[in-house]
mmCIF file of all heavy atoms in Angstrom:
data_model
loop_
_atom_site.group_PDB
_atom_site.id
_atom_site.type_symbol
_atom_site.label_atom_id
_atom_site.label_comp_id
_atom_site.label_asym_id
_atom_site.label_seq_id
_atom_site.Cartn_x
_atom_site.Cartn_y
_atom_site.Cartn_z
ATOM 1 N N TYR A 50 -16.451 -7.160 -9.589
ATOM 2 C CA TYR A 50 -15.536 -8.266 -9.311
ATOM 3 C C TYR A 50 -14.116 -7.775 -9.489
ATOM 4 O O TYR A 50 -13.799 -7.169 -10.524
ATOM 5 C CB TYR A 50 -15.827 -9.431 -10.263
ATOM 6 C CG TYR A 50 -14.867 -10.585 -10.139
ATOM 7 C CD1 TYR A 50 -14.810 -11.334 -8.971
ATOM 8 C CD2 TYR A 50 -14.020 -10.926 -11.183
ATOM 9 C CE1 TYR A 50 -13.919 -12.390 -8.855
ATOM 10 C CE2 TYR A 50 -13.134 -11.977 -11.072
ATOM 11 C CZ TYR A 50 -13.096 -12.708 -9.904
ATOM 12 O OH TYR A 50 -12.226 -13.758 -9.779
ATOM 13 N N TYR A 54 -3.856 -10.788 -9.798
ATOM 14 C CA TYR A 54 -3.056 -11.847 -10.377
ATOM 15 C C TYR A 54 -1.582 -11.576 -10.137
ATOM 16 O O TYR A 54 -1.134 -10.429 -10.154
ATOM 17 C CB TYR A 54 -3.306 -11.967 -11.882
ATOM 18 C CG TYR A 54 -4.626 -12.623 -12.225
ATOM 19 C CD1 TYR A 54 -5.807 -11.903 -12.197
ATOM 20 C CD2 TYR A 54 -4.678 -13.974 -12.548
ATOM 21 C CE1 TYR A 54 -7.016 -12.510 -12.491
ATOM 22 C CE2 TYR A 54 -5.880 -14.588 -12.849
ATOM 23 C CZ TYR A 54 -7.036 -13.851 -12.818
ATOM 24 O OH TYR A 54 -8.237 -14.466 -13.107
ATOM 25 N N GLN A 56 2.270 -12.589 -11.517
ATOM 26 C CA GLN A 56 2.980 -13.166 -12.657
ATOM 27 C C GLN A 56 4.478 -13.156 -12.382
ATOM 28 O O GLN A 56 5.100 -12.090 -12.328
ATOM 29 C CB GLN A 56 2.672 -12.403 -13.946
ATOM 30 C CG GLN A 56 3.275 -13.054 -15.179
ATOM 31 C CD GLN A 56 2.916 -12.306 -16.458
ATOM 32 O OE1 GLN A 56 2.707 -11.098 -16.454
ATOM 33 N NE2 GLN A 56 2.841 -13.030 -17.572
ATOM 34 N N ARG A 61 2.983 -17.645 -16.464
ATOM 35 C CA ARG A 61 1.624 -17.175 -16.709
ATOM 36 C C ARG A 61 1.068 -16.462 -15.484
ATOM 37 O O ARG A 61 1.481 -16.750 -14.358
ATOM 38 C CB ARG A 61 0.740 -18.375 -17.060
ATOM 39 C CG ARG A 61 0.448 -19.308 -15.883
ATOM 40 C CD ARG A 61 -0.178 -20.617 -16.334
ATOM 41 N NE ARG A 61 0.798 -21.529 -16.894
ATOM 42 C CZ ARG A 61 0.470 -22.696 -17.458
ATOM 43 N NH1 ARG A 61 -0.796 -23.057 -17.592
ATOM 44 N NH2 ARG A 61 1.419 -23.491 -17.942
ATOM 45 N N PRO A 62 0.104 -15.544 -15.666
ATOM 46 C CA PRO A 62 -0.557 -14.922 -14.508
ATOM 47 C C PRO A 62 -1.368 -15.963 -13.743
ATOM 48 O O PRO A 62 -1.995 -16.855 -14.343
ATOM 49 C CB PRO A 62 -1.477 -13.878 -15.143
ATOM 50 C CG PRO A 62 -0.942 -13.662 -16.522
ATOM 51 C CD PRO A 62 -0.354 -14.975 -16.939
ATOM 52 N N LEU A 64 -4.155 -16.300 -10.343
ATOM 53 C CA LEU A 64 -5.003 -15.615 -9.365
ATOM 54 C C LEU A 64 -4.473 -15.845 -7.956
ATOM 55 O O LEU A 64 -4.164 -16.974 -7.575
ATOM 56 C CB LEU A 64 -6.433 -16.146 -9.459
ATOM 57 C CG LEU A 64 -7.434 -15.520 -8.492
ATOM 58 C CD1 LEU A 64 -7.807 -14.126 -8.974
ATOM 59 C CD2 LEU A 64 -8.680 -16.376 -8.358
ATOM 60 N N PHE A 107 -0.975 -7.797 -11.053
ATOM 61 C CA PHE A 107 -1.984 -7.110 -11.859
ATOM 62 C C PHE A 107 -3.310 -7.087 -11.107
ATOM 63 O O PHE A 107 -3.753 -8.126 -10.602
ATOM 64 C CB PHE A 107 -2.214 -7.838 -13.192
ATOM 65 C CG PHE A 107 -1.063 -7.764 -14.137
ATOM 66 C CD1 PHE A 107 -0.149 -8.802 -14.212
ATOM 67 C CD2 PHE A 107 -0.895 -6.672 -14.967
ATOM 68 C CE1 PHE A 107 0.919 -8.751 -15.092
ATOM 69 C CE2 PHE A 107 0.172 -6.601 -15.846
ATOM 70 C CZ PHE A 107 1.080 -7.638 -15.916
ATOM 71 N N GLU A 114 -21.000 -7.511 -18.938
ATOM 72 C CA GLU A 114 -20.966 -7.457 -20.391
ATOM 73 C C GLU A 114 -22.388 -7.691 -20.895
ATOM 74 O O GLU A 114 -22.985 -8.712 -20.624
ATOM 75 C CB GLU A 114 -20.024 -8.533 -20.922
ATOM 76 C CG GLU A 114 -20.173 -8.874 -22.382
ATOM 77 C CD GLU A 114 -20.065 -7.663 -23.296
ATOM 78 O OE1 GLU A 114 -19.201 -6.812 -23.050
ATOM 79 O OE2 GLU A 114 -20.874 -7.563 -24.236
ATOM 80 N N ASN A 116 -23.682 -8.204 -23.874
ATOM 81 C CA ASN A 116 -23.965 -9.139 -24.965
ATOM 82 C C ASN A 116 -24.431 -10.502 -24.471
ATOM 83 O O ASN A 116 -25.396 -11.048 -24.966
ATOM 84 C CB ASN A 116 -22.730 -9.316 -25.843
ATOM 85 C CG ASN A 116 -22.524 -8.137 -26.768
ATOM 86 O OD1 ASN A 116 -23.283 -7.183 -26.717
ATOM 87 N ND2 ASN A 116 -21.499 -8.180 -27.580
ATOM 88 N N PHE A 117 -23.720 -11.074 -23.522
ATOM 89 C CA PHE A 117 -24.047 -12.424 -23.088
ATOM 90 C C PHE A 117 -24.290 -12.503 -21.595
ATOM 91 O O PHE A 117 -24.374 -13.573 -21.032
ATOM 92 C CB PHE A 117 -22.916 -13.384 -23.473
ATOM 93 C CG PHE A 117 -22.635 -13.413 -24.948
ATOM 94 C CD1 PHE A 117 -21.457 -12.892 -25.442
ATOM 95 C CD2 PHE A 117 -23.544 -13.937 -25.839
ATOM 96 C CE1 PHE A 117 -21.179 -12.901 -26.804
ATOM 97 C CE2 PHE A 117 -23.282 -13.964 -27.193
ATOM 98 C CZ PHE A 117 -22.100 -13.442 -27.680
ATOM 99 N N ASN A 119 -22.170 -11.734 -19.429
ATOM 100 C CA ASN A 119 -20.911 -12.068 -18.756
ATOM 101 C C ASN A 119 -20.284 -10.828 -18.148
ATOM 102 O O ASN A 119 -20.732 -9.719 -18.349
ATOM 103 C CB ASN A 119 -19.925 -12.634 -19.774
ATOM 104 C CG ASN A 119 -20.214 -14.070 -20.069
ATOM 105 O OD1 ASN A 119 -21.250 -14.572 -19.701
ATOM 106 N ND2 ASN A 119 -19.289 -14.713 -20.726
ATOM 107 N N GLU A 120 -19.202 -11.065 -17.449
ATOM 108 C CA GLU A 120 -18.371 -9.957 -16.982
ATOM 109 C C GLU A 120 -17.040 -10.032 -17.723
ATOM 110 O O GLU A 120 -16.450 -11.088 -17.847
ATOM 111 C CB GLU A 120 -18.135 -10.056 -15.476
ATOM 112 C CG GLU A 120 -19.396 -9.814 -14.667
ATOM 113 C CD GLU A 120 -19.184 -10.134 -13.213
ATOM 114 O OE1 GLU A 120 -18.267 -10.898 -12.887
ATOM 115 O OE2 GLU A 120 -19.954 -9.629 -12.384
ATOM 116 N N LYS A 121 -16.589 -8.924 -18.228
ATOM 117 C CA LYS A 121 -15.284 -8.868 -18.873
ATOM 118 C C LYS A 121 -14.292 -8.233 -17.924
ATOM 119 O O LYS A 121 -14.600 -7.258 -17.244
ATOM 120 C CB LYS A 121 -15.357 -8.049 -20.159
ATOM 121 C CG LYS A 121 -16.080 -8.774 -21.285
ATOM 122 C CD LYS A 121 -15.771 -8.184 -22.638
ATOM 123 C CE LYS A 121 -16.113 -6.726 -22.743
ATOM 124 N NZ LYS A 121 -15.969 -6.231 -24.142
ATOM 125 N N LEU A 122 -13.100 -8.780 -17.907
ATOM 126 C CA LEU A 122 -12.042 -8.252 -17.048
ATOM 127 C C LEU A 122 -11.241 -7.200 -17.795
ATOM 128 O O LEU A 122 -10.811 -7.414 -18.922
ATOM 129 C CB LEU A 122 -11.104 -9.365 -16.591
ATOM 130 C CG LEU A 122 -11.628 -10.367 -15.580
ATOM 131 C CD1 LEU A 122 -10.515 -11.310 -15.165
ATOM 132 C CD2 LEU A 122 -12.185 -9.651 -14.346
ATOM 133 N N THR A 126 -2.106 -1.961 -15.413
ATOM 134 C CA THR A 126 -0.861 -2.080 -16.172
ATOM 135 C C THR A 126 0.246 -2.806 -15.409
ATOM 136 O O THR A 126 1.319 -3.018 -15.946
ATOM 137 C CB THR A 126 -0.359 -0.696 -16.591
ATOM 138 O OG1 THR A 126 -0.326 0.156 -15.447
ATOM 139 C CG2 THR A 126 -1.278 -0.074 -17.637
ATOM 140 N N TYR B 52 -16.112 -20.596 -20.680
ATOM 141 C CA TYR B 52 -15.619 -19.262 -21.030
ATOM 142 C C TYR B 52 -14.142 -19.336 -21.372
ATOM 143 O O TYR B 52 -13.336 -19.815 -20.577
ATOM 144 C CB TYR B 52 -15.855 -18.329 -19.848
ATOM 145 C CG TYR B 52 -15.634 -16.869 -20.122
ATOM 146 C CD1 TYR B 52 -16.648 -16.048 -20.565
ATOM 147 C CD2 TYR B 52 -14.387 -16.289 -19.885
ATOM 148 C CE1 TYR B 52 -16.445 -14.703 -20.793
ATOM 149 C CE2 TYR B 52 -14.175 -14.947 -20.110
ATOM 150 C CZ TYR B 52 -15.208 -14.154 -20.560
ATOM 151 O OH TYR B 52 -15.001 -12.825 -20.788
ATOM 152 N N GLN B 58 -0.221 -9.335 -24.100
ATOM 153 C CA GLN B 58 0.497 -8.628 -23.040
ATOM 154 C C GLN B 58 1.676 -7.889 -23.640
ATOM 155 O O GLN B 58 2.584 -8.500 -24.213
ATOM 156 C CB GLN B 58 0.976 -9.601 -21.959
ATOM 157 C CG GLN B 58 1.660 -8.900 -20.793
ATOM 158 C CD GLN B 58 2.018 -9.827 -19.673
ATOM 159 O OE1 GLN B 58 2.363 -10.992 -19.868
ATOM 160 N NE2 GLN B 58 1.939 -9.321 -18.450
ATOM 161 N N GLY B 61 4.257 -2.559 -20.060
ATOM 162 C CA GLY B 61 3.636 -1.344 -19.559
ATOM 163 C C GLY B 61 2.154 -1.205 -19.868
ATOM 164 O O GLY B 61 1.554 -0.175 -19.558
ATOM 165 N N GLY B 63 -0.198 -4.021 -19.429
ATOM 166 C CA GLY B 63 -1.028 -5.052 -18.817
ATOM 167 C C GLY B 63 -1.511 -6.072 -19.825
ATOM 168 O O GLY B 63 -0.886 -6.305 -20.866
ATOM 169 N N LEU B 64 -2.648 -6.662 -19.522
ATOM 170 C CA LEU B 64 -3.264 -7.676 -20.373
ATOM 171 C C LEU B 64 -4.492 -7.064 -21.036
ATOM 172 O O LEU B 64 -5.379 -6.555 -20.349
ATOM 173 C CB LEU B 64 -3.671 -8.891 -19.529
ATOM 174 C CG LEU B 64 -2.505 -9.689 -18.964
ATOM 175 C CD1 LEU B 64 -2.869 -10.295 -17.611
ATOM 176 C CD2 LEU B 64 -2.106 -10.778 -19.934
ATOM 177 N N TYR B 69 -13.224 -13.200 -26.984
ATOM 178 C CA TYR B 69 -13.609 -14.167 -25.992
ATOM 179 C C TYR B 69 -14.790 -14.991 -26.501
ATOM 180 O O TYR B 69 -15.429 -14.646 -27.507
ATOM 181 C CB TYR B 69 -13.938 -13.509 -24.647
ATOM 182 C CG TYR B 69 -15.186 -12.658 -24.644
ATOM 183 C CD1 TYR B 69 -16.395 -13.140 -24.140
ATOM 184 C CD2 TYR B 69 -15.160 -11.349 -25.119
ATOM 185 C CE1 TYR B 69 -17.528 -12.358 -24.116
ATOM 186 C CE2 TYR B 69 -16.287 -10.561 -25.105
ATOM 187 C CZ TYR B 69 -17.463 -11.058 -24.600
ATOM 188 O OH TYR B 69 -18.592 -10.276 -24.584
ATOM 189 N N VAL B 71 -18.142 -17.589 -25.009
ATOM 190 C CA VAL B 71 -18.911 -18.078 -23.854
ATOM 191 C C VAL B 71 -19.408 -19.504 -24.074
ATOM 192 O O VAL B 71 -20.154 -20.019 -23.253
ATOM 193 C CB VAL B 71 -20.081 -17.138 -23.515
ATOM 194 C CG1 VAL B 71 -19.542 -15.747 -23.185
ATOM 195 C CG2 VAL B 71 -21.067 -17.055 -24.663
ATOM 196 N N ILE B 75 -20.114 -19.421 -30.021
ATOM 197 C CA ILE B 75 -20.416 -18.059 -29.577
ATOM 198 C C ILE B 75 -19.121 -17.329 -29.239
ATOM 199 O O ILE B 75 -18.399 -17.728 -28.321
ATOM 200 C CB ILE B 75 -21.326 -18.056 -28.332
ATOM 201 C CG1 ILE B 75 -22.572 -18.896 -28.578
ATOM 202 C CG2 ILE B 75 -21.722 -16.633 -27.969
ATOM 203 C CD1 ILE B 75 -23.407 -19.115 -27.335
ATOM 204 N N ASP B 77 -17.130 -13.180 -29.226
ATOM 205 C CA ASP B 77 -17.347 -11.746 -29.264
ATOM 206 C C ASP B 77 -16.009 -11.040 -29.160
ATOM 207 O O ASP B 77 -15.001 -11.630 -28.730
ATOM 208 C CB ASP B 77 -18.278 -11.299 -28.148
ATOM 209 C CG ASP B 77 -18.923 -9.947 -28.440
ATOM 210 O OD1 ASP B 77 -18.714 -9.403 -29.559
ATOM 211 O OD2 ASP B 77 -19.626 -9.419 -27.561
ATOM 212 N N PHE B 111 -1.722 -14.722 -24.371
ATOM 213 C CA PHE B 111 -2.202 -15.669 -23.369
ATOM 214 C C PHE B 111 -3.647 -16.046 -23.664
ATOM 215 O O PHE B 111 -4.493 -15.188 -23.917
ATOM 216 C CB PHE B 111 -2.135 -15.063 -21.965
ATOM 217 C CG PHE B 111 -0.755 -14.953 -21.407
ATOM 218 C CD1 PHE B 111 -0.068 -13.748 -21.447
ATOM 219 C CD2 PHE B 111 -0.144 -16.058 -20.833
ATOM 220 C CE1 PHE B 111 1.210 -13.636 -20.927
ATOM 221 C CE2 PHE B 111 1.138 -15.955 -20.309
ATOM 222 C CZ PHE B 111 1.815 -14.754 -20.364
ATOM 223 N N SER B 120 -17.082 -13.851 -14.382
ATOM 224 C CA SER B 120 -15.694 -13.612 -14.028
ATOM 225 C C SER B 120 -15.211 -14.508 -12.905
ATOM 226 O O SER B 120 -14.592 -14.041 -11.972
ATOM 227 C CB SER B 120 -15.539 -12.154 -13.635
ATOM 228 O OG SER B 120 -16.492 -11.834 -12.638
ATOM 229 N N THR B 122 -12.628 -17.479 -11.531
ATOM 230 C CA THR B 122 -11.182 -17.559 -11.664
ATOM 231 C C THR B 122 -10.795 -17.894 -13.105
ATOM 232 O O THR B 122 -11.273 -18.865 -13.678
ATOM 233 C CB THR B 122 -10.627 -18.645 -10.733
ATOM 234 O OG1 THR B 122 -10.999 -18.338 -9.402
ATOM 235 C CG2 THR B 122 -9.115 -18.727 -10.852
ATOM 236 N N GLN B 123 -9.925 -17.074 -13.674
ATOM 237 C CA GLN B 123 -9.430 -17.337 -15.019
ATOM 238 C C GLN B 123 -8.112 -18.090 -14.911
ATOM 239 O O GLN B 123 -7.200 -17.681 -14.183
ATOM 240 C CB GLN B 123 -9.240 -16.028 -15.780
ATOM 241 C CG GLN B 123 -10.557 -15.342 -16.066
ATOM 242 C CD GLN B 123 -10.580 -14.645 -17.417
ATOM 243 O OE1 GLN B 123 -9.829 -14.967 -18.315
ATOM 244 N NE2 GLN B 123 -11.447 -13.663 -17.550
ATOM 245 N N PHE B 125 -4.866 -19.252 -16.882
ATOM 246 C CA PHE B 125 -4.119 -18.856 -18.066
ATOM 247 C C PHE B 125 -3.255 -19.997 -18.595
ATOM 248 O O PHE B 125 -2.759 -20.829 -17.831
ATOM 249 C CB PHE B 125 -3.217 -17.658 -17.741
ATOM 250 C CG PHE B 125 -3.956 -16.357 -17.635
ATOM 251 C CD1 PHE B 125 -4.558 -15.983 -16.440
ATOM 252 C CD2 PHE B 125 -4.051 -15.503 -18.725
ATOM 253 C CE1 PHE B 125 -5.251 -14.784 -16.337
ATOM 254 C CE2 PHE B 125 -4.735 -14.301 -18.640
ATOM 255 C CZ PHE B 125 -5.332 -13.939 -17.441
ATOM 256 N N GLY B 126 -3.079 -20.000 -19.909
ATOM 257 C CA GLY B 126 -2.110 -20.887 -20.525
ATOM 258 C C GLY B 126 -0.704 -20.329 -20.353
ATOM 259 O O GLY B 126 -0.530 -19.234 -19.825
#
Side-chain angles (χ1 to χ4, degrees):
Chain A
Y50 175 65
Y54 285 81
Q56 186 178 29
R61 71 192 78 186
L64 180 75
F107 291 97
E114 163 54 41
N116 283 2
F117 302 111
N119 280 12
E120 292 171 338
K121 287 199 302 188
L122 289 185
T126 51
Chain B
Y52 190 90
Q58 183 175 34
L64 292 148
Y69 68 100
V71 300
I75 307 171
D77 201 5
F111 287 99
S120 53
T122 302
Q123 293 216 22
F125 284 85

